[in-house]
Amino acid sequence: MSHDIQPPVSVDELLERVRAGYVRIEPQQAYEAARAGDALLVDIRYAALRERDGLIPGALVVERNELEWRLDPQGSHRLPEATSHALRVIVVCDEGYASSLAVQSLRQLGLHRATDLVGGFQAWRGAGLPVV
């Protein structure tokens, strides 16, 4: 039996701890990295939000519940884009909260360059970046 149970934290505290472990990326930087082929944008929003607000051109759509299986370079269900643990993945959710928790999970799988978009899709669109 384990005696190292941690006291509970709020989701805000959890986000703060997770985000302290990596550098998040702003919309313009994400756009430039993706355009240069230096990063893979991964949109984890659910279908209703994508249908309502549109898509980022070139972003890979992987719903949150499939993310780890699709991006694990060693996994049998991985996407062709999941080529190595050195892949620079930029996770995009709607407003930049769920993406941070997703990044923590990807980093635990060894994707040490995974990061997320500050403000999510809404910030991307608000910055006037391409949406289809």
Side-chain angles (χ1 to χ4, degrees), residues 22-41:
Y22 67 96
V23 177
R24 301 178 79 210
I25 192 166
E26 296 290 334
Q28 189 64 41
Q29 296 170 294
Y31 171 71
E32 290 166 9
R35 195 175 60 173
D38 294 333
L40 180 64
L41 292 177

Side-chain angles (χ1 to χ4, degrees), residues 10-22 100-101:
S10 71
V11 71
D12 292 332
E13 289 174 278
L14 179 61
L15 276 172
E16 199 173 304
R17 288 182 191 181
V18 166
R19 289 172 175 170
Y22 67 96
S100 295
L101 299 179

Side-chain angles (χ1 to χ4, degrees), residues 68-84:
E68 291 82 357
W69 285 267
R70 299 295 185 216
L71 292 184
D72 178 3
Q74 297 174 319
S76 57
H77 297 286
R78 73 176 183 85
L79 292 167
E81 293 86 350
T83 52
S84 99

Side-chain angles (χ1 to χ4, degrees), residues 30-118:
Y31 171 71
E32 290 166 9
R35 195 175 60 173
D38 294 333
L40 180 64
L41 292 177
V42 179
D43 186 344
I44 63 168
R45 295 174 300 145
Y46 52 91
L49 289 177
R50 296 192 312 268
E51 289 163 12
R52 183 189 77 189
D53 294 339
L55 299 168
I56 295 171
L60 190 63
V61 173
V62 182
E63 291 205 15
R64 177 63 192 96
N65 62 329
E66 297 183 356
L67 187 67
E68 291 82 357
W69 285 267
R70 299 295 185 216
L71 292 184
D72 178 3
Q74 297 174 319
S76 57
H77 297 286
R78 73 176 183 85
L79 292 167
E81 293 86 350
T83 52
S84 99
H85 287 97
L87 182 66
R88 186 177 182 202
V89 175
I90 301 171
V91 182
V92 180
C93 68
D94 194 46
E95 295 183 344
Y97 295 98
S99 56
S100 295
L101 299 179
V103 165
Q104 178 186 35
S105 184
L106 292 177
R107 286 178 161 256
Q108 288 172 331
L109 284 177
L111 291 154
H112 60 274
R113 297 178 70 207
T115 187
D116 71 323
L117 185 63
V118 175

